Amino acid sequence: MKEELLAKIEALQKEAVQVLSSFQSIKELQDYKIHVLGKKGLLTEVLKGLGGLSPEERPLVGQRANEVKQTIESQLILLQKSLEGKEKEAKFRSQKIDATLPGLQFGKGFRHPLSLVQKEIEQIFLNLGFSIHEGPDCESDYYNFGALNFPPDHPAREMQDTFYIKSEIRNPKSELLLRTHTSPVQIRVMEKQKPPLYIIAPGAVYRHDHDVTHSPMFHQVEGLMVDTNITFGDLKGVLTLFCRTIFGADRKVRFRPSFFPFVEPGAEVDISCALCNGKGCRVCGGDGWLEILGAGMVHPAVLEEVKIDPKKYSGFAFGMGVERIAMLKYGIDDIRLFYESDLRFLEQF
Ligand code: FA5
């Protein structure tokens, strides 16, 4: 019995020395480990047979079995490390890196064309000594209409179809709406500051209005200049200078009489259409001109409302459409392009 077990142990060691050196993969190694050292492995079976030996024989055979077990185990560890290294190297060699491939592209941020045009407008007026003011998008009826000399129930209120915000309070000073123009900022500024006033007020405005040149939300830049001896000549001078700076000296500018309740006299300014060169197209509605702003001399009733003496001071105001100016400047024929967030359009500016 003793001799038989020792022979089996020696045979296992011999076999291990031969077999282990022939393995090429970690899988073969692991299978062999189970075959010899696993629960039902060959060496495990030999160790189980120790119980049948006499107490004198047992330590001798047991010691030899353990020596062989340790030898096989340390061989397995060494071999596993060496095979892992080889497998890693083979994987690395098979993964070819093409250093000439282009790297990842990171998109560059850029300003929206409307922001670019608004900044350009602001800069022209900042250079003329104007300062920038802001007002709320959500306004009261008073600031949007009442203080600007729109009488209650006057048809002029319908000129700018209004989005009203439902309110239980029927007090015109607090009835809320989305401002239809930036002109309420004139009132807010004149309530707090007295002349000389040279201000502009950019911002979003809202109206029930939409087609290729009209949007329900668009942007205006309001302007207000109140001082002693301000005349219509100043209005024409400032706005002509503005148009030439933003569009170039070769574009035609025309002043047309118009009506706004908060100015007297009132005017509108048109620019010759860049898309058709004044011949007429769908953007200019066929007449070769596009209206960019409304303007006029501040009505004495408006000055009185904000406690500025109209006998002492006079002024002019204007309100221009930022989208309209951007369309004319860049030859864009549909206002909706500004709001569709299509990068193919936006990244051209
Ligand atoms: C006004 O809004 C007056 N508050 C302007 C003003 C200010 C007059 C101070 C006198 C003194 P109007 O409704 O015409 O005016 O609009 C001014 C400009 O906004 C227009 O010339 C046009 O360029 C632009 N605009 C008007 N409606 C739209 C719209 N729905 N979409 C895009 N732009 C518009």
Side-chain angles (χ1 to χ4, degrees):
M1 183 73 176
K2 172 190 156 199
E3 299 309 323
E4 200 184 315
L5 284 178
L6 279 172
K8 273 189 186 170
I9 294 168
E10 295 313 320
L12 269 174
Q13 185 174 26
K14 207 171 157 197
E15 183 203 75
V17 173
Q18 283 171 1
V19 173
L20 285 174
S21 57
S22 71
F23 289 157
Q24 297 299 321
S25 72
I26 292 172
K27 169 92 176 75
E28 282 176 294
L29 209 70
Q30 283 165 346
D31 289 347
Y32 184 73
K33 190 174 175 184
I34 294 166
H35 172 63
V36 179
L37 305 174
K39 267 190 190 162
K40 290 180 184 160
L42 298 176
L43 193 60
T44 319
E45 290 301 319
V46 172
L47 288 169
K48 281 181 193 161
L50 290 179
L53 296 177
S54 68
E56 299 81 44
E57 291 170 330
R58 218 175 285 154
L60 185 83
V61 180
Q63 190 188 350
R64 185 63 192 136
N66 275 327
E67 280 169 6
V68 171
K69 189 179 174 204
Q70 275 168 17
T71 310
I72 294 176
E73 274 175 345
S74 52
Q75 277 299 309
L76 281 169
I77 290 169
L78 280 176
L79 209 58
Q80 172 145 354
K81 279 201 179 134
S82 139
L83 283 173
E84 275 173 358
K86 278 188 191 156
E87 282 186 8
K88 247 190 211 162
E89 197 179 321
K91 195 174 165 196
F92 179 69
R93 288 194 186 282
S94 71
Q95 284 177 340
K96 288 199 181 104
I97 295 168
D98 183 352
T100 63
L101 280 175
L104 288 178
Q105 297 264 333
F106 292 100
K108 217 170 72 187
F110 41 83
R111 279 192 197 275
H112 191 281
L114 291 178
S115 304
L116 286 174
V117 171
Q118 186 176 311
K119 288 272 163 275
E120 202 178 331
I121 296 170
E122 286 172 8
Q123 197 52 55
I124 294 171
F125 288 101
L126 287 172
N127 291 348
L128 290 172
F130 285 66
S131 61
I132 300 177
H133 287 251
E134 281 182 353
D137 288 22
C138 185
E139 264 298 3
S140 67
D141 180 286
Y142 173 74
Y143 284 105
N144 197 77
F145 292 124
L148 287 163
N149 201 32
F150 284 79
D153 305 323
H154 190 283
R157 284 174 190 252
E158 282 159 33
M159 282 163 51
Q160 303 170 352
D161 272 330
T162 311
F163 292 109
Y164 282 94
I165 293 166
K166 254 204 178 134
S167 158
E168 298 308 315
I169 315 153
R170 303 306 300 173
N171 173 355
K173 267 219 168 197
S174 50
E175 188 163 14
L176 292 179
L177 47 85
L178 291 178
R179 66 178 176 189
T180 57
H181 53 176
T182 41
S183 301
V185 188
Q186 289 185 34
I187 303 297
R188 290 187 176 273
V189 171
M190 288 192 288
E191 272 180 346
K192 292 203 187 87
Q193 294 179 30
K194 296 304 158 204
L197 286 169
Y198 295 74
I199 66 116
I200 56 165
V205 301
Y206 309 83
R207 294 180 193 178
H208 277 286
D209 212 356
H210 90 124
D211 58 38
V212 290
T213 55
H214 294 83
S215 160
M217 187 282 304
F218 62 101
H219 300 81
Q220 288 189 339
V221 176
E222 190 77 11
L224 176 71
M225 183 163 160
V226 184
D227 206 338
T228 47
N229 301 318
I230 302 291
T231 66
F232 202 87
D234 296 310
L235 178 157
K236 278 190 86 174
V238 168
L239 292 178
T240 305
L241 177 82
F242 166 76
C243 291
R244 295 218 170 118
T245 313
I246 198 140
F247 295 114
D250 46 343
R251 292 289 279 286
K252 289 190 204 124
V253 183
R254 90 177 171 189
F255 286 78
R256 241 181 329 104
S258 187
F259 172 76
F260 299 95
F262 40 98
V263 290
E264 182 56 37
E268 276 177 326
V269 174
D270 301 333
I271 296 289
S272 59
C273 178
L275 288 163
C276 61
N277 239 332
K279 289 188 195 82
C281 66
R282 76 164 180 156
V283 170
C284 59
D287 75 351
W289 293 95
L290 252 162
E291 171 210 318
I292 57 158
L293 61 87
M297 300 306 292
V298 181
H299 199 290
V302 173
L303 293 176
E304 272 163 9
E305 181 71 23
V306 290
K307 317 262 177 311
I308 292 176
D309 182 357
K311 290 193 197 81
K312 191 169 169 202
Y313 294 106
S314 57
F316 70 81
F318 57 86
M320 57 182 72
V322 178
E323 280 79 351
R324 206 57 75 73
I325 290 170
M327 288 172 84
L328 274 162
K329 202 171 157 62
Y330 296 119
I332 295 160
D333 66 357
D334 192 331
I335 197 167
R336 288 164 293 199
L337 286 166
F338 290 121
Y339 316 113
E340 282 167 354
S341 302
D342 185 339
L343 287 180
R344 289 169 303 176
F345 169 74
L346 295 177
E347 66 195 2
Q348 292 178 47
F349 299 90

